[in-house]
Amino acid sequence: MRILLVGAGGVGTAITRIAARRSFFDHLVVADYDLARAEAAVAALGDSGGRFSAVRLDASDPAAVTALLRDERCDVLLNATDPRFVPPLFGAALEAGTHYLDMAMSLSAPHPTRPYEECGTKLGDAQFERAGAWEEAGRLALVGIGVEPGLSDVFARYAAEELFDEIDEIGVRDGANLTVDGYDFAPSFSIWTTIEECLNPPVVWEKDRGWFTTPPFSEPEVFDFPEGIGPVECVNVEHEEVLLIPRWVEAKRVTFKYGLGDEFIETLKTLHKLGLDRTEKVTLPGGERVSPRDVVAACLPDPATLGDRMHGKTCAGTWVKGTKDGRPREVYLYHVVDNQWSMGEYGSQAVVWQTAVNPVVALELVANGSWSGAGVLGPEAFDPRPFLDLLTAYGSPWGMRE
């Protein structure tokens, strides 16, 4: 297998460090708009037997992406950029005849008149609209295969197949007790993506109602996370799982809630009030045009550089409620990463490492034939057991709380 990895930020760099320890691929090309960043990711691996190379690539240029896929004879494109670049990369992979994986799907747009009641354009709609073309090409677009979405979706399929006869609710719950020395506000993941997720209308799915929206930060609840993290208040946030899980897993309700904390929520609300969450460019007094959200991102520390200042654990998991053998059952399937471990073992902070390990596991399953298919498919469309077994073999076991 020959892989084109687009994006050499925190997650992309962590992907290279994880992949370097595996033998399932022949070559991995690391591409980034900033060539120095791609070169640094490759150089950090030392002598990796020539299996890695670095190139400069503009992810917004589908023709350039298609040409690079063909020139490098790549079998698959792994998208590690932010969701703005999903359309050109997704289209380029189809044009080049390669498989495609991403960790975040095409962006949504609120309903024009009822944003907090009805869906407008949903996450992933633009990709699912092309499903027929992918099927006809005989190629796989495996979408949403990070940790959330990704591993959380695998957990949902596993619960449906092995733990429950009937499912009332699948609720993805994400929480952490991470702290960062020296910063009052330092998100552990891309602030661009964080703003997009947290300020858009959250989506909920119910069997009798379909997909609908609520106001941001709605339905707060306190969830007790495992392995010493403890109780964290979680709120509704827009996320791909709610758009993916109902397509393949039978349930009466699907939700996603994120543990943000009051201070984080208030900061996001302030950015929104000031218009600093906007992506449309504004004109500065000198005539330069910039996106306010890009300015915010530039003013904050790069999440990939925070590992040495970060302490604590992050947890991603899927809370499932239903019945088994006629009796009520409730389980939380989860994956915890300790920042001290991920930094010591891989030199990557916990949140980006936890995101990065899952697409590498998925690529290995595609390479060895355990996962195969054609069309636009989510992680729920595949047998979950090989994924969970291989994740454990990577040295990062998952857990279950009854």
Side-chain angles (χ1 to χ4, degrees):
M1 174 181 277
R2 293 179 65 86
I3 304 164
L4 172 61
L5 168 65
V6 184
V11 172
T13 296
I15 285 170
T16 65
R17 294 171 181 176
I18 296 164
R21 303 187 184 190
R22 309 300 296 185
S23 60
F24 68 88
F25 65 96
D26 301 309
H27 193 78
L28 192 153
V29 180
V30 183
D32 197 278
Y33 188 79
D34 182 349
L35 177 60
R37 190 160 68 166
E39 290 175 334
V42 172
L45 304 175
D47 182 11
S48 55
R51 290 199 303 156
F52 294 82
S53 59
V55 299
R56 184 188 181 279
L57 179 67
D58 182 351
S60 68
D61 184 349
V65 178
T66 300
L68 182 59
L69 285 166
R70 288 173 173 162
D71 291 346
E72 292 288 347
R73 297 175 288 108
C74 292
D75 303 290
V76 59
L77 186 158
L78 174 54
N79 178 1
T81 65
D82 73 55
R84 288 175 292 179
F85 299 104
V86 165
L89 295 175
F90 182 76
L94 179 60
E95 177 67 22
T98 71
H99 300 306
Y100 168 90
L101 281 76
D102 64 31
M103 291 159 275
M105 297 175 67
S106 60
L107 293 172
S108 64
H111 190 279
T113 59
R114 293 168 53 84
Y116 303 136
E117 293 86 21
E118 298 182 30
C119 295
T121 300
K122 301 187 299 299
L123 291 169
D125 275 358
Q127 290 171 281
F128 282 112
E129 287 172 0
R130 304 292 307 280
W134 281 88
E135 291 172 12
E136 185 177 340
R139 293 293 181 264
L140 170 64
L142 174 49
V143 296
I145 187 62
V147 61
E148 291 175 340
L151 178 57
S152 52
D153 305 68
V154 173
F155 283 148
R157 177 66 181 265
Y158 173 74
E161 288 195 355
E162 301 197 24
L163 303 179
F164 290 84
D165 296 322
E166 186 173 343
I167 294 175
D168 294 321
E169 180 170 353
I170 297 173
V172 179
R173 299 294 184 266
D174 181 306
N177 61 0
L178 295 168
T179 59
V180 181
D181 295 338
Y183 290 100
D184 293 328
F185 184 75
S188 58
F189 204 70
S190 162
I191 187 61
W192 204 100
T193 303
T194 300
I195 289 173
E196 187 72 23
E197 292 175 348
C198 295
L199 293 179
N200 280 351
V203 181
V204 175
W205 185 86
E206 293 180 356
K207 187 173 183 179
D208 297 332
R209 188 175 174 183
W211 287 294
F212 62 94
T213 58
T214 72
F217 316 119
S218 58
E219 299 181 1
E221 68 180 31
V222 175
F223 188 83
D224 187 17
F225 288 91
E227 298 195 21
I229 294 174
V232 178
E233 185 177 77
C234 299
V235 293
N236 279 327
V237 168
E238 181 191 49
H239 232 250
E240 285 92 341
E241 289 95 326
V242 179
L243 287 312
L244 288 171
I245 290 172
R247 297 175 189 266
W248 287 280
V249 179
E250 282 286 329
K252 295 177 182 176
R253 194 170 196 260
V254 181
T255 60
F256 179 94
K257 293 188 180 182
Y258 195 10
L260 295 172
D262 290 341
E263 183 179 10
F264 199 98
I265 290 173
E266 288 305 314
T267 300
L268 292 177
K269 286 181 177 178
T270 299
L271 291 175
H272 180 63
K273 287 178 182 177
L274 297 175
L276 294 175
D277 61 325
R278 292 165 52 193
T279 58
E280 303 86 358
K281 291 185 177 181
V282 298
T283 303
L284 300 181
E288 185 178 358
R289 290 181 57 76
V290 297
S291 159
R293 193 184 299 185
D294 286 341
V295 173
V296 172
C299 291
L300 290 171
D302 180 350
T305 67
L306 297 176
D308 291 334
R309 296 170 173 260
M310 190 179 289
H311 310 278
K313 300 176 181 179
T314 184
C315 178
T318 305
W319 181 18
V320 187
K321 293 176 278 188
T323 57
K324 178 68 174 177
D325 298 326
R327 297 180 179 180
R329 189 177 197 187
E330 186 173 337
V331 303
Y332 183 60
L333 302 159
Y334 65 88
H335 185 249
V336 170
V337 177
D338 187 317
N339 188 73
Q340 184 177 1
W341 174 84
S342 64
M343 285 298 296
E345 186 72 14
Y346 285 91
S348 296
Q349 56 103 321
V351 176
V352 299
W353 189 91
Q354 187 182 46
T355 303
V357 67
N358 295 284
V360 182
V361 170
L363 281 171
E364 185 159 347
L365 293 177
V366 172
N368 67 29
S370 297
W371 278 14
S372 62
V376 179
L377 302 175
E380 308 86 347
F382 301 92
D383 183 356
R385 177 53 74 176
F387 190 100
L388 296 175
D389 289 345
L390 190 53
L391 180 65
T392 301
Y394 271 51
S396 189
W398 55 282
M400 184 176 86
R401 184 172 67 190
E402 187 83 33

